[in-house]
Amino acid sequence: MGSITGTMGCRSSVADRRSEKVIRAAILIQNWYRLTMARLEMRRRYSLSIFQSIEYADEQDQLQLSDFFTFMLDHCTPPDSVSHAFTSPSVSQVVDEAFDVQEFENKICVPDSYYGPRLSFPLTVEHANALLHAFRNEQLLHARYVLQLLYETKKVLKEMPNITHLSTSYSKEITVCGDLHGNLDDLLLIFYKNGLPSEQNCYVFNGDFVDRGKNSMEIIIILFAFLLIYPNYLHLNRGNHEDYILNLRYGFTKEVSKKYKDHGNQILFLLRDVFSWLPLATIIDSKVLILHGGISDTTDLDFLNALERSKDQVKERIPATRSTKHMATRNVAGKARRLSSSGSTEPSGSNLPPEPTPKEWKQILDILWSDPRSQNGCTPNKARGGGCYFGPDVTAELFRRYNLKLLIRSHEFKPEGYEISHNGKVITIFSASNYYEEGSNRGAYIKLNPELIPRFVQYQVSKYTLRHSLQDRVGTIESTALKFLREKICAHRSELTSAFAQYDPEGTGRISVNDWAAAMESVLQLNLPWRILRSQLALLSPDGKVDCMSCFGDLEIAQPVKEVQPALAETLCRYRKDLEIIFNIIDKDQSGLISLEEFSQTWKLFTSHLGITYSESLDKLVLSMDYNKDGYIDFNEFLEAFHVVHRLQKKVDS
């Protein structure tokens, strides 16, 4: 009996030891998995922070140069016309109220070889379905139908109030969508999952339909078509990107010009008019406020509702995003100019209504550009350069004044497609998935029932995403983000070198990690975790200090001719986007060519505005790029010549 008991005890102890090993192994695997996932999440988060910080810095640059773009329009536009990007000799007729749809048919011929959708007005659901089918197959809508659609859309929008009031009693649920930014696949996926707009399926699209993505034109055509079919069941709020100057910088203008070469000017001009008539906000059941950006401690909904969005002429009444001293409009050669949502101004005729007051400017500025923050108070939005940061107390006060329950806004990238803040009172909804890079984020939309309880639907367009592991997807996002960051570092090389020198009085070329991080932030002002990013950007010397120049290690700015001074090449690289906008303003005939004299004068104005020392070496450079010596240069080739080259990538390519 004793031996049997001993044997059983021995077997029991062996089993216990085996079980203990299994548990230990499971714990090790679990810890490894958690550590791996934590590292991946850290990489994902700082990569998205890089994308967003660079995006906001770019917006800030745009706004800071808005008054210069105004100056350019003032001085480069003939007194009886608008810049080429917005008009042509025949376009004044397009926006004439007496000019009906039949005129388009008489003036623009649709050839028999065109096999795309053919529209007739009033539109029907069959027309909308034909558009969806065509765009899925990458077909274009003919320019005649585009112009007709825009003209009809303008007529409908002009009858709408600044703030649209909706009720859930007329439909079971209302769907709210955020930024789409030209991502057609997201819109098609939303319609697939949620159904097409109809009398039983009401939608609110909360601005930023265009820019960045490659199918902005298709998105607004679809949205405007459904607006015409169901004006009481599809609603559009204006976003900060429904603006002609932002469109010049972020791709929509270029997209339209490329897709509609012969009638691009007319389409752009009419689009600018249509954008100016978009409503500013929507209120559901007197409880839910929907607007694009946010609010401030001075937001006055009654005041906003009473504003005149536009008058008979094609002019926007959207405010500047600069400080008060920049809010005054200019008067050049007897022509008044009105500020747009990007802070630029527009040429205008003498029959316009009085210019908007600073209060009107600020009211609309705040609702288009502001972002929520967890801290109480209302402070300037320094990251974007326009609008404000508003805290929970600002939200609570607005709700108290207007008896509101919920604020739905967009305007801000969110990794999961939405975010809830201010104790559940503010919801950010962002509907563009894969916004920065394939796999970078989900999109989402909100379903509101009669009880006004939000239900979130997330999605992600996954043409390629599902084929890759999480580690591969994070690696792709991180690689792209770091590439953009390195290019920005290279474009500020001179300033960074000077900042490093301040922490290195002995000229060793090495500084502490803390000093390196401080120098990077002082110059780039991106509010990034530089100490974490250091291992990806710069090398450590044996003494534990950062080798300052190693962060420029595999980067250089391409130079078309050897004689170009590095400082000049750096300046041209840094301001390429701004120069592209300026050159497009100058290039009135859209030839892609500008004269050497125009180029030289523009550069002098630009450097003077920015406080950059003018270099005569640019004149020599421009002359050297006039390859056929006809006195003109191709400015697209000129700008492309100055870009950041990744030396390692260049070696691989070669």
Side-chain angles (χ1 to χ4, degrees), residues 271-447:
L271 269 169
R272 188 177 64 164
D273 196 16
V274 172
F275 286 167
S276 74
W277 283 104
L278 286 168
L280 302 173
T282 303
I283 295 178
I284 299 177
D285 292 345
S286 302
K287 293 294 183 182
V288 179
L289 173 63
I290 306 171
L291 43 74
H292 181 71
I295 59 175
S296 73
D297 53 2
T298 61
T299 295
D300 185 334
L301 298 183
D302 297 326
F303 186 86
L304 283 167
N305 198 40
L307 284 175
E308 296 180 75
R309 295 200 301 281
S310 189
K311 284 288 185 181
D312 291 337
Q313 296 296 317
V314 188
K315 302 293 161 266
E316 299 172 26
R317 298 186 62 86
I318 304 300
T321 46
R322 303 299 308 277
S323 57
T324 304
K325 68 179 181 179
H326 294 291
M327 288 182 181
T329 55
R330 306 176 189 276
N331 214 316
V332 180
K335 291 288 180 179
R337 291 181 177 270
R338 178 168 291 106
L339 293 165
S340 76
S341 65
S342 62
S344 64
T345 59
E346 304 181 58
S348 62
S350 59
N351 59 338
L352 283 177
E355 292 297 333
T357 65
K359 180 179 179 180
E360 290 174 323
W361 289 140
K362 186 178 187 307
Q363 287 288 313
I364 308 180
L365 161 65
D366 288 340
I367 66 170
L368 290 181
W369 284 89
S370 297
D371 296 309
R373 285 295 180 267
S374 57
Q375 298 82 7
N376 280 336
C378 185
T379 58
N381 192 331
K382 294 181 179 179
R384 292 187 188 269
C388 68
Y389 295 124
F390 62 98
D393 58 329
V394 177
T395 300
E397 173 57 23
L398 187 84
F399 282 19
R400 184 194 65 77
R401 254 188 296 151
Y402 296 101
N403 195 26
L404 296 171
K405 176 182 178 181
L406 183 65
L407 168 62
I408 298 177
R409 44 90 62 178
S410 304
H411 188 48
E412 202 172 4
F413 165 88
K414 296 299 174 186
E416 296 302 316
Y418 74 94
E419 184 178 82
I420 302 172
S421 56
H422 292 188
N423 301 313
K425 294 180 179 179
V426 175
I427 295 174
T428 298
I429 191 74
F430 194 83
S431 299
S433 68
N434 306 308
Y435 179 60
Y436 290 127
E437 178 60 81
E438 184 74 31
S440 63
N441 66 288
R442 296 179 180 180
Y445 55 87
I446 299 173
K447 303 280 288 182

Side-chain angles (χ1 to χ4, degrees), residues 72-73 76-78 81-89 91 244 248 253-254 257 261-269 272 347 580-594 635:
M72 286 298 303
L73 286 169
C76 296
T77 303
S81 67
V82 191
S83 169
H84 83 279
F86 316 124
T87 190
S88 66
V91 175
Y244 76 103
L248 275 169
T253 297
K254 186 177 290 186
S257 299
K261 292 183 174 66
D262 294 335
H263 301 284
N265 290 343
Q266 294 170 303
I267 291 171
L268 286 166
F269 191 68
R272 188 177 64 164
E580 183 176 5
I581 296 174
I582 294 166
F583 292 158
N584 274 306
I585 293 172
I586 296 172
D587 180 29
K588 299 178 182 65
D589 60 357
Q590 291 186 287
S591 64
L593 302 173
I594 59 174
F635 63 78

Side-chain angles (χ1 to χ4, degrees), residues 105-384:
E105 297 183 13
N106 297 333
K107 289 181 176 292
I108 303 175
C109 177
V110 180
D112 294 337
S113 59
Y114 171 73
Y115 291 102
R118 292 179 180 267
L119 305 184
S120 59
F121 296 84
L123 292 182
T124 65
V125 175
E126 287 70 28
H127 289 123
N129 286 329
L131 289 170
L132 290 169
H133 177 76
F135 294 157
R136 286 192 189 99
N137 292 284
E138 300 184 354
Q139 289 180 304
L140 286 180
L141 181 64
H142 192 275
R144 180 214 277 182
Y145 302 123
V146 173
L147 289 165
Q148 289 176 320
L149 178 71
L150 294 178
Y151 180 74
E152 291 297 315
T153 300
K154 175 188 171 182
K155 290 199 297 186
V156 171
L157 290 175
K158 287 184 70 172
E159 300 303 316
M160 293 182 173
N162 292 351
I163 300 178
T164 307
H165 287 264
L166 305 180
S167 173
T168 55
S169 63
Y170 296 106
S171 59
K172 294 180 179 179
E173 289 185 309
I174 295 176
T175 302
V176 183
C177 301
D179 301 36
L180 288 168
H181 277 303
N183 290 342
L184 178 62
D185 288 339
D186 287 310
L187 180 61
L188 297 177
L189 184 57
I190 290 170
F191 285 164
Y192 174 78
K193 293 171 70 71
N194 195 61
L196 295 177
S198 69
E199 294 178 359
Q200 294 76 39
N201 196 18
C202 183
Y203 278 89
V204 177
F205 287 89
N206 199 25
D208 278 13
F209 321 120
V210 302
D211 278 335
R212 304 189 189 280
K214 64 180 182 179
N215 294 114
S216 297
M217 196 66 206
E218 287 77 5
I219 284 178
I220 61 171
I221 288 172
I222 291 170
L223 294 181
F224 290 166
F226 277 112
L227 175 70
L228 295 180
I229 299 167
Y230 299 112
N232 296 320
Y233 300 96
L234 184 134
H235 304 275
L236 305 174
N237 288 340
R238 186 174 186 175
N240 63 307
H241 275 265
E242 278 66 64
D243 173 85
Y244 76 103
I245 285 291
L246 286 177
N247 297 159
L248 275 169
R249 188 184 190 97
Y250 294 107
F252 183 46
T253 297
K254 186 177 290 186
E255 177 190 333
V256 174
S257 299
K258 183 178 179 181
K259 291 178 178 178
Y260 296 97
K261 292 183 174 66
D262 294 335
H263 301 284
N265 290 343
Q266 294 170 303
I267 291 171
L268 286 166
F269 191 68
L270 192 47
L271 269 169
R272 188 177 64 164
D273 196 16
V274 172
F275 286 167
S276 74
W277 283 104
L278 286 168
L280 302 173
T282 303
I283 295 178
I284 299 177
D285 292 345
S286 302
K287 293 294 183 182
V288 179
L289 173 63
I290 306 171
L291 43 74
H292 181 71
I295 59 175
S296 73
D297 53 2
T298 61
T299 295
D300 185 334
L301 298 183
D302 297 326
F303 186 86
L304 283 167
N305 198 40
L307 284 175
E308 296 180 75
R309 295 200 301 281
S310 189
K311 284 288 185 181
D312 291 337
Q313 296 296 317
V314 188
K315 302 293 161 266
E316 299 172 26
R317 298 186 62 86
I318 304 300
T321 46
R322 303 299 308 277
S323 57
T324 304
K325 68 179 181 179
H326 294 291
M327 288 182 181
T329 55
R330 306 176 189 276
N331 214 316
V332 180
K335 291 288 180 179
R337 291 181 177 270
R338 178 168 291 106
L339 293 165
S340 76
S341 65
S342 62
S344 64
T345 59
E346 304 181 58
S348 62
S350 59
N351 59 338
L352 283 177
E355 292 297 333
T357 65
K359 180 179 179 180
E360 290 174 323
W361 289 140
K362 186 178 187 307
Q363 287 288 313
I364 308 180
L365 161 65
D366 288 340
I367 66 170
L368 290 181
W369 284 89
S370 297
D371 296 309
R373 285 295 180 267
S374 57
Q375 298 82 7
N376 280 336
C378 185
T379 58
N381 192 331
K382 294 181 179 179
R384 292 187 188 269

